[in-house]
Amino acid sequence: MKAKLLLPSALLALCTFSHAATVKDREGAVRSEKAKMENDARWNWSDIDGGFRLAKTTGKPLLVVLRCVPCLSCAGIDASVLQEPELVPLLDQFVCVRVINANAIDLSLFQYDYDLSFSAIMFNGDGTIYGRYGSWLHQKDPLNKTTASFKKALEATLTVHKGYPANKSSLSGKQGGPTPYKTPVEFPSLSAKYPSKLDWDGKVMQSCVHCHMVGDAFRAYYRSQKKPVPVEWIYPQPSIETLGVTLATDDIAKVEAVTADSPAAKAGVQAGDAFTSLNGQPLVSTADVSWVLHRSPESGSIAVKVLRGGKETDLTLDLPAGWRLKSDIGKRVGTWPMRAMAFGGMKMDDIPDEERATLGLNKDQMALRIAHVGQYGEHAKAKQAGFLKDDILIEVGELKQRMTESAIIGHLLLHHLPGEQLPAAVLRGGKRLELKLPQQ
């Protein structure tokens, strides 16, 4: 018997600049998924509770795949996970659950990168999280079908499972933190619009809470209370590239390159190293690395273990103050609501050095060209305040120095509250114009 619990149909309500294309018939895609998968021999479709019960009785680990069916992003790896024969021996060692919307997920268990359209969380039957999986490589390329990193994540999870419960203390940091509400549909921004279950007798898509809406709901919750948005919700699940490390896309956490003079370089991390644990947590994928950083302090240090030349080496990675603000969140769908909060609905791009010279702008000053100005609702506030496409933003509030759009979003959401009107200056046709930028 299946107790229906539901999850991600992410990245669907998109703007012109969003990178998440969707299938033409989204309603049909979801209904086809139900018809195809609800009686599948391997995948328990939308039955998380039943999955946990089966994991307990069989002693197998639980694999929960969270997939946005209408979203084309990650379509390649999703098809491979469902069809690739080489994965069968691994999947047979798990209880497998597939969920396609986020309406009623237990937020104490399902804390992951909500901006991805394909994610996975691996559990013990008692609810202990072994690890997370999610790939921005696949998110950006829907034709990418490679499962190399997914296979290694499953293999690493089985190793962790074999060591359980003796290794339970090392998994404590992987568990989710407290949340304002138990499920997404309890958030005020979602409760009036979405039911706890999909409306199969009506319009399914209109009843679906997409994954990215969960992150949006967290940010809206703080903003509605006239509080700064916590920095981890402005820059969620940050990549370790922010600290100077490029990880291989086909491995668990193998270092491909280290940026000179970066925090990672200063810690002694080297190309060819393989991270085996961060902050005491065993790793099963790059998503686990992002989870550690998501829960890390704004400054301080984290313990690192790397495998180098067949031997494990202990390192200490120092986190400089403001390290998260170096994250690039420009292509996250969850950034669009933040653009409404901080920019009144605008998208901006930093002007490169060579063009700055032709415009008489120096390399150290703020100079972001407005690439898009929203036209409707909360995304039209900048338009109503007088901002135009192709204006060049050179000052906002107390900020005049060169900053990325991502860094400015963070600064404004951390230091300014809804209702404020920030003084701003733009260049239009080479002339300076003073405006007010509304905060929402």
Side-chain angles (χ1 to χ4, degrees), residues 104-302:
I105 54 170
D106 184 340
L107 291 174
S108 68
L109 295 174
F110 291 92
Q111 297 180 17
Y112 57 100
D113 194 334
Y114 299 118
D115 281 336
L116 292 173
S117 69
F118 179 97
S119 296
I121 302 182
M122 290 72 81
F123 298 90
N124 182 273
D126 66 7
T128 299
I129 295 173
Y130 286 149
R132 295 166 172 81
Y133 178 84
S135 168
W136 277 97
L137 177 72
H138 294 86
Q139 182 77 16
K140 295 173 182 177
D141 182 5
L143 300 180
N144 191 324
K145 297 183 178 181
T146 179
T147 57
S149 60
F150 185 68
K151 288 177 185 176
K152 290 185 178 181
L154 296 183
E155 291 166 350
T157 298
L158 290 171
T159 299
V160 175
H161 181 64
K162 289 178 182 178
Y164 192 82
N167 58 2
K168 188 172 184 177
S169 62
S170 70
L171 303 174
S172 61
K174 288 178 176 280
Q175 311 315 305
T179 61
Y181 298 98
K182 182 176 176 59
T183 66
V185 293
E186 294 174 44
F187 277 91
S189 61
L190 298 175
S191 61
K193 301 177 183 178
Y194 298 96
S196 61
K197 296 183 178 181
L198 292 185
D199 181 12
W200 292 107
D201 296 325
K203 295 182 178 180
V204 175
M205 289 307 303
Q206 293 183 11
S207 67
C208 177
V209 173
H210 313 317
C211 289
H212 70 87
M213 293 180 183
V214 181
D216 296 344
F218 273 99
R219 288 181 282 269
Y221 167 77
Y222 294 105
R223 203 70 172 168
S224 68
Q225 299 205 5
K226 304 288 186 180
K227 296 179 180 179
V229 178
V231 69
E232 65 268 23
W233 284 110
I234 303 172
Y235 306 104
Q237 310 291 332
S239 168
I240 199 169
E241 288 187 0
T242 303
L243 298 170
V245 176
T246 300
L247 294 177
T249 57
D250 60 352
D251 214 314
I252 294 173
K254 187 174 181 179
V255 179
E256 277 195 343
V258 179
T259 303
D261 297 322
S262 66
K266 294 174 182 178
V269 179
Q270 300 176 11
D273 287 349
F275 289 109
T276 57
S277 77
L278 283 178
N279 208 26
Q281 300 176 34
L283 306 176
V284 305
S285 75
T286 57
D288 270 359
V289 175
S290 291
W291 170 257
V292 172
L293 296 179
H294 181 70
R295 299 294 294 274
S296 291
E298 293 318 295
S299 63
S301 62
I302 54 177

Side-chain angles (χ1 to χ4, degrees), residues 46-98:
S46 294
D47 187 8
I48 297 174
D49 290 346
F52 275 114
R53 290 194 296 269
L54 190 57
K56 285 181 180 179
T57 58
T58 62
K60 292 182 177 181
L62 172 65
L63 167 68
V64 180
V65 166
L66 316 166
R67 169 62 180 154
C68 169
V69 173
C71 183
L72 291 179
S73 296
C74 294
I77 188 174
D78 184 48
S80 293
V81 168
L82 293 177
Q83 302 168 9
E84 189 174 294
E86 289 81 3
L87 280 176
V88 170
L90 278 173
L91 294 175
D92 283 346
Q93 298 178 65
F94 288 82
V95 172
C96 300
V97 175
R98 179 176 173 86

Side-chain angles (χ1 to χ4, degrees), residues 392-413:
I392 298 174
L393 183 70
I394 56 173
E395 294 179 17
V396 57
E398 66 276 24
L399 304 177
K400 298 181 181 180
Q401 71 273 28
R402 188 170 189 172
M403 298 174 69
T404 64
E405 183 203 49
S406 296
I408 298 174
I409 288 174
H411 182 92
L412 297 185
L413 294 186

